[in-house]
Structures are given as structure tokens and as C-alpha cells.
């Protein structure tokens, strides 16, 4: 398969790359490195990416920014960061990509454990993750027959614990290589409308 | 208790009013009727409402618009309608309201069954409902001690079935008076961070 991996240079992205490149051709997309550059908050940039890479069999997104901050200081603007980036960035990747992918292609988005298991400073991450999970369930049943969409919801990533540990006490870290299995299940399996939780 | 009911003129709002007004003072807010006018997509309008009504013991929201449309025709703009209105309208009601409510006040937002049980044309409603549910779980643990927040997730409302029936085949309609019990549980009980599903 030809797999477009958005966020290829990130911690999870590199884990997915190591897993899927054993069996598939990977086209690596990132904001400023890889085979093709893309900024998911810019729809024109998404269109340019698909025009450049041609038809792919799978689109995998392992990217998306949200603002972490004390709830007492969260305001409309701070929630919009995650809405524009991790939520609508990934949604627009699907909305643009669905017209450019091969028959029977899959989309795999990234959410995370905070949708169900909230932490201090994480209200925007929770909101956005919950939105992605419900979007995936709904989009799956209305997509053009043959196309599939899933999300992967990993716990806190082991390789990111240096910065994240103080906020994720009690959370069992998940190695990126293990999170990558959720993406492989989505890309190489046949399920759709699922949220694969990886603990 | 003094209860600020936003969306008081809607089908669910009238059911909540009938339930809660038996025991509490209701301040009815709507876009263009009731005791005070408010448009939740306008933060200044939310501020003006709280300045007018003074301290309340409970804020209940039973409002929020989303765009229903075939997934193949959904685009960024159409998803933004629900994000700006049902999602961030209700979130901003909390963000502004938290500084104007009485100690131990509660916030109760409205989500809906589509977060888990999607229908044709409902991908925006699903997205927004999932976002609200995860936001409520996260906000509850970070709010100022004493404050509470929950969401009520009703099935399709019986009194709205004339228009909605074709999209909700197989869904058991819930009378507004029954949905109203979820709001009473949130306002008059002590739970927080919960999504009360009403079938």
C-alpha cells in the first residue's frame, strides 16, 4: 500500500513509520520536513499536498496541537487553537483527501485518552479528542462505500514523558511502537468507525 | 434555587421549565423572548445577560444549533456552524458564567445521542456532542471547588419527531418532560462531570 503519513516527524509518527514501512511505501508529510510539507490548518496546503502525492491507499494523521492550560485561564481563543488545529485540521484532511484517495482507502486520525480520562490543564485536549471520536463514528457510516475511517486513542506516550509526566501521574506510558499498532490495525484491517484505544 | 434557563422557549427548554418551575425560580433566557435575551455565539451578549440576572444557583442550557447535511457536502464552514453555536456557545456560557454564579452553583449543558449513535446527515451533531461530553468531564475536575458541571444527552425528542422522524428511524422518541428529568438530576443533585443519558 501507498500510505500518506501526516506528522511523520513526531514521536508517534516515527513509531508509525517504523511499523508500516516494513510492509508499505510511506510518503512522509510534516510542517517542515519529509517528502511533502503540509500545514493542516490551511486547507489550500492540504489540497496542494494531495495534488503532489497523487492517489494513496491510506491517509494517517499523527499530528494536532491543542492548548494546555489551567481551566481558570482558558478562554474562547485558547479552545480555538485545538479546534482549528487538532480537530478541524484532521477533519479537513479527510474532507479534502476523500476526493483524492484510491478506492477502498482508509483514513486514520489521532485522538487520545483525555477524552475519557481527564487531567489538570487538559480541558481543550479532552474536548477536541471527544469531538474527533464522535466525528469518526458518524463519518464512517456516511462515507462513499469502500472508504473507511478510524481513530487511534493512545495513552500518554512513553517517549514524551519527560515533559508530560507531571500532568500524567498514574497514567501508564505507552511506547510509540505500541501506539503504532493501532494505526496498523486501522490501515491494514477492515474495521471502520472505530476508536482503537491503546493502553 | 434561582435557575437561569437558556433556550427556555425551545421544546426541551419548555419541558425543563415545567419540571423545575415546580420547585425553583426560573429566569428564562432566549434569543428573542423570555426574561432576558441572549445569543450564545456573542460573548458580549452572555456577559450582558449575567450582569442583568445577577447571581444564580444553576445555569441550564438547552440550546445550540448545528448544520445537518449529507457528509459528501459537509465542509469546514458547515462544521463551524455547530462549533461556534452548540459547542462554543455553551462553553462560553460556562466560561463567562463561572465568575457570576453563586457558590456551589451548577452548569448543565445539552448534548445528545448522536455522539454515540450516529445518523445520516448528523456528522456535525455527532462531533459537537462528543466535544461537549468530554469537555464536561474535564472541566468538572478543574472548576473552582463547589461548582459543578454536567451534560444531559437525550434521545430524539418526541415533540420534534414531526420534522426529525425520517432521520431517526428506529430511535425511541423521548418526551421533553422525560428529558427534563436529566436536568433536574444535574441541578438538584450533587453529581459532577457526568453525562446523563435519557432514553
Amino acid at each position: 500500500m501507498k500510505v500518506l503519513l501526516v506528522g511523520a516527524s513526531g514521536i508517534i509518527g516515527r513509531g508509525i513509520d517504523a511499523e508500516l514501512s516494513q510492509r508499505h511505501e510511506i510518503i512522509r508529510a510534516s510542517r517542515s520536513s519529509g517528502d511533502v510539507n503540509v500545514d493542516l490548518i490551511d486547507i489550500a496546503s492540504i489540497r496542494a499536498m494531495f495534488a503532489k502525492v497523487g492517489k494513496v491507499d491510506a491517509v494517517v494523521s499523527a499530528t494536532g496541537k491543542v492548548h494546555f492550560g489551567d481551566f481558570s485561564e482558558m478562554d474562547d481563543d485558547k479552545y480555538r487553537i485545538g479546534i482549528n488545529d487538532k480537530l478541524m485540521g484532521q477533519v479537513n484532511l479527510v474532507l479534502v483527501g476523500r476526493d483524492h484517495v484510491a478506492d477502498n482507502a482508509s483514513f486514520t486520525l489521532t485522538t487520545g485518552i483525555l477524552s475519557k480520562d481527564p487531567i489538570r490543564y487538559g480541558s481543550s485536549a479532552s474536548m477536541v479528542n471527544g469531538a474527533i471520536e464522535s466525528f469518526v463514528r458518524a463519518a464512517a457510516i456516511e462515507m462513499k462505500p469502500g472508504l473507511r475511517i478510524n481513530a487511534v486513542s493512545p495513552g500518554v506516550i512513553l517517549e514524551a514523558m519527560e515533559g508530560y509526566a507531571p500532568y500524567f501521574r498514574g497514567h501508564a506510558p505507552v511506547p510509540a511502537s505500541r501506539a503504532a499498532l493501532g494505526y496498523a490495525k486501522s490501515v491494514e484491517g477492515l474495521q471502520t468507525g472505530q476508536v482503537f484505544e491503546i493502553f
Side-chain angles (χ1 to χ4, degrees), chain A residues 142-162:
Chain A
E142 270 199 274
M143 283 187 127
K144 195 171 74 177
L147 295 186
R148 297 184 299 109
I149 182 168
N150 297 297
V152 176
S153 177
V156 63
I157 300 296
L158 177 66
E159 291 88 339
M161 280 301 265
E162 186 175 339

Side-chain angles (χ1 to χ4, degrees), chain A residues 34-58:
Chain A
D35 304 314
V36 57
N37 293 155
V38 67
D39 182 354
L40 293 189
I41 69 169
D42 176 3
I43 295 175
S45 167
I46 300 174
R47 287 203 187 99
M49 172 179 66
F50 279 108
K52 185 172 174 192
V53 304
K55 281 198 187 307
V56 296
D57 303 292

